């Protein structure tokens, strides 16, 4: 995830915890279908863990009375805090059709809420080329460096014309081996797994969402 608050960075550098991951995100998807049943857009939901949510709200000076309720001004400030992406950032989402990656727009229709101590945000990505019905689409949410851990625990659904078969699949081979996980845990907070010979560790640890939609 190519953004970070100053307070979070300070907390990480002072922490003796293992290097990766630092942020945990419960993830969900809403596939938005066009008139012919094609997948035209996807709405992405990110629900952040309580610790990271606390760091963000404290760093931004939100919920200073700790009642768990944001004022209208605070709500406006929070909305879009995680959408300031650096150039080239893919939004930690890869969508493929066969062997081809699908181009995705930047984030649109951004929302953010704060409830029960957790920040939840949503945004829409428009597919550069819509996926026609009868074609299988694969989605993987992951940070290549595994700094942020995404897990698809929130609903995955489809709305619009047509219906879709949606299947969740765990990481290939069950994810990284025990030896690789131990090597990952031994890295310090400033280390990049790729520099330690662990390229694409995020992809190895990520599950997949497999979607096939039928024509309306």
């Amino acid at each position: 995830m190519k953004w970070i608050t100053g307070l979070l960075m300070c907390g990480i550098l002072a922490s003796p915890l293992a290097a990766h991951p630092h942020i945990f995100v419960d993830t969900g998807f809403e596939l938005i279908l066009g008139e012919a049943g094609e997948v035209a857009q996807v709405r992405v939901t990110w629900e952040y863990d309580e610790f990271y949510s606390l760091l963000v709200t404290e760093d931004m000076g939100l919920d200073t009375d700790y009642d768990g309720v944001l004022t209208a001004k605070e709500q406006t400030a929070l909305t879009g805090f995680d959408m300031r992406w650096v150039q080239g950032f893919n939004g930690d989402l890869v969508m493929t059709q066969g062997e081809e990656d699908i181009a995705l727009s930047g984030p649109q229709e951004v929302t953010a809420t704060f409830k029960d101590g957790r920040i939840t945000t949503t945004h829409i990505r428009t597919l550069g080329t819509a996926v026609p019905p009868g074609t299988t689409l694969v989605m993987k949410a992951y940070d290549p460096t595994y700094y942020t851990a995404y897990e698809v625990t929130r609903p995955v659904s489809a709305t619009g014309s047509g219906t879709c078969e949606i299947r969740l699949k765990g990481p290939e081979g069950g994810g990284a081996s025990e030896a690789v996980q131990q090597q990952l845990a031994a890295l310090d907070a400033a280390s990049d797994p790729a520099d330690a010979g662990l390229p694409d560790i995020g992809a190895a640890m990520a599950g997949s969402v497999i979607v096939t939609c039928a024509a309306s």
Side-chain angles (χ1 to χ4, degrees), residues 21 24 36 39 52 64 80 85 95 133 137 139 143 146 153 167 174 197 201:
F24 298 87
V39 180
Y52 181 71
T64 53
W85 298 355
M95 300 179 70
L137 163 71
M139 300 187 293
D143 173 2
Y146 201 46
T153 56
R167 181 165 59 95
I201 186 65

Side-chain angles (χ1 to χ4, degrees), residues 36-189:
E38 75 279 12
V39 180
Q41 295 177 308
V42 58
R43 188 189 311 274
V44 181
T45 298
W46 289 339
E47 183 178 20
Y48 296 97
D49 66 84
E50 292 183 356
F51 180 61
Y52 181 71
S53 297
L54 175 63
L55 291 175
V56 170
T57 54
E58 288 191 346
D59 195 35
M60 297 182 69
L62 308 178
D63 191 32
T64 53
D65 57 3
Y66 298 102
D67 67 350
V69 179
L70 301 185
T71 66
K73 184 176 180 180
E74 289 174 330
Q75 181 69 53
T76 298
L78 180 65
T79 301
F81 85 95
D82 55 352
M83 297 294 127
R84 296 186 288 270
W85 298 355
V86 300
Q87 186 174 2
F89 177 51
N90 70 351
D92 286 344
L93 176 62
V94 174
M95 300 179 70
T96 56
Q97 180 184 359
E99 299 297 323
E100 299 295 324
D101 288 348
I102 299 171
L104 298 170
S105 72
Q108 306 164 344
E109 299 186 29
V110 173
T111 73
T113 59
F114 180 59
K115 183 179 180 181
D116 297 329
R118 300 185 68 174
I119 295 172
T120 301
T121 72
T122 71
H123 59 280
I124 287 179
R125 311 282 303 272
T126 297
L127 280 64
T129 302
V131 176
T135 303
T136 298
L137 163 71
V138 179
M139 300 187 293
K140 295 187 72 169
Y142 66 92
D143 173 2
T145 69
Y146 201 46
Y147 189 94
T148 301
Y150 296 88
E151 186 175 2
V152 182
T153 56
R154 293 183 59 94
V156 179
S157 63
T159 58
S161 300
T163 59
C164 299
E165 178 186 353
I166 299 171
R167 181 165 59 95
L168 304 183
K169 181 181 179 182
E172 295 291 340
S177 67
E178 182 177 349
V180 170
Q181 292 182 26
Q182 291 176 353
Q183 188 176 354
L184 182 67
L187 298 178
D188 62 54

Side-chain angles (χ1 to χ4, degrees), residues 190-206:
S191 297
D192 186 330
D195 295 336
L198 298 172
D200 301 323
I201 186 65
M205 301 293 285

